[in-house]
Amino acid sequence: ETTMEQAEIQAERLRSAIEQLEVQVNGDTIKLSASFGVSGSNKHQVVGHSLADYGMEKMINDADAALYSAKKGGKNQVQLSC
């Protein structure tokens, strides 16, 4: 099991590692970036839902919403679902 804090730390490590990459394509250097949306079913996070109701589809939708929030906020960042 992973806490939201641990998941955020891992996503940030990945984001940072990707940001350091440079790819050479036809003599051009391309810098990479990544945004992450993090979600979970931690009982402390789930407000107004029983854990049984908080399924995989909801977690995916929450992570997707957090990802779009990260992109809207300027990209290259980690956002947690509410």
Side-chain angles (χ1 to χ4, degrees):
E1 293 184 22
T2 302
T3 66
M4 287 293 283
E5 181 180 355
Q6 291 167 331
E8 180 181 21
I9 290 168
Q10 290 293 13
E12 179 58 34
R13 284 181 183 158
L14 288 169
R15 188 209 59 77
S16 181
I18 291 168
E19 183 179 43
Q20 300 303 313
L21 296 175
E22 292 183 355
V23 178
Q24 297 292 322
V25 178
N26 297 327
D28 293 324
T29 301
I30 299 173
K31 296 206 41 97
L32 303 175
S33 67
S35 294
F36 291 85
V38 178
S39 177
S41 64
N42 176 325
K43 68 181 177 183
H44 302 292
Q45 175 196 5
V46 180
V47 177
H49 297 280
S50 72
L51 288 176
D53 293 336
Y54 202 87
M56 184 63 75
E57 187 172 339
K58 174 119 176 72
M59 285 190 288
I60 291 170
N61 288 338
D62 288 352
D64 192 47
L67 175 60
Y68 279 104
S69 177
K71 289 180 177 182
K72 186 177 179 181
K75 301 183 182 179
N76 198 32
Q77 58 184 281
V78 174
Q79 284 287 330
L80 303 179
S81 65
C82 297

